[in-house]
Amino acid sequence: MDEPAVKPVRWIASSRDDLRDFPEAVRLRVGGALWEAQKGGRASWAKALKGYGGSGVVEIVEDHDGDTYRAVYTVRFEGFVYVLHAFQKKSKSGIATPKRDLDLIDSRLRRAEEDYKRWRASKTKAR
């Protein structure tokens, strides 16, 4: 039986550089979750981000040395995994994602959609 194609990862804005600043153990954990997404699955430690209508926008939360790190990706656009945001949660009050970060995720989700539309248009023109 043929293995499904591995979806490429596309990085929006500074998400790749931000992830590179995470501690190695956290990077490996996020990388494992992204690999699962690339293969069409979802890691058990990755959860749908509330407020985004289902499982198309996913959050990886990892605690390390008393700090919390988060990475957000989407699989809404066929054939790709878009990494939207990677950040260290600074707020000590509650577990909710700060509004500033949610606004950034919204903005980057729109950028991902634009990127996907451009890619689709280029494939249509190539035919």
Side-chain angles (χ1 to χ4, degrees):
M1 187 172 203
D2 288 334
E3 299 254 341
V6 174
K7 299 173 188 175
V9 173
R10 295 181 71 101
W11 303 87
I12 300 297
S14 65
S15 59
R16 185 178 213 164
D17 290 335
D18 296 339
L19 181 60
R20 285 181 175 153
D21 289 340
F22 286 6
E24 181 180 12
V26 177
R27 286 193 319 266
L28 291 172
R29 190 81 163 155
V30 170
L34 292 176
W35 177 244
E36 288 298 320
Q38 286 182 268
K39 296 187 305 180
R42 185 165 76 192
S44 61
W45 60 96
K47 307 290 183 212
L49 184 60
K50 291 181 183 176
Y52 287 88
S55 61
V57 178
V58 180
E59 179 178 47
I60 306 157
V61 179
E62 188 65 25
D63 293 324
H64 180 76
D65 283 344
D67 293 317
T68 300
Y69 298 86
R70 296 183 180 195
V72 177
Y73 68 88
T74 187
V75 291
R76 282 186 179 175
F77 310 110
E78 185 180 347
F80 294 98
V81 175
Y82 280 91
V83 181
L84 305 173
H85 191 27
F87 62 102
Q88 181 180 351
K89 186 172 180 293
K90 303 283 186 183
S91 171
K92 300 299 178 192
S93 60
I95 61 171
T97 304
K99 181 175 178 356
R100 179 181 70 75
D101 290 300
L102 290 173
D103 290 344
L104 188 59
I105 291 165
D106 289 342
S107 169
R108 291 181 177 183
L109 186 57
R110 286 189 298 274
R111 286 178 66 179
E113 183 176 17
E114 291 166 8
D115 179 82
Y116 182 71
K117 286 178 179 177
R118 279 191 306 272
W119 176 82
R120 295 258 332 222
S122 74
K123 292 298 176 191
T124 303
K125 288 179 185 177
R127 289 184 187 174

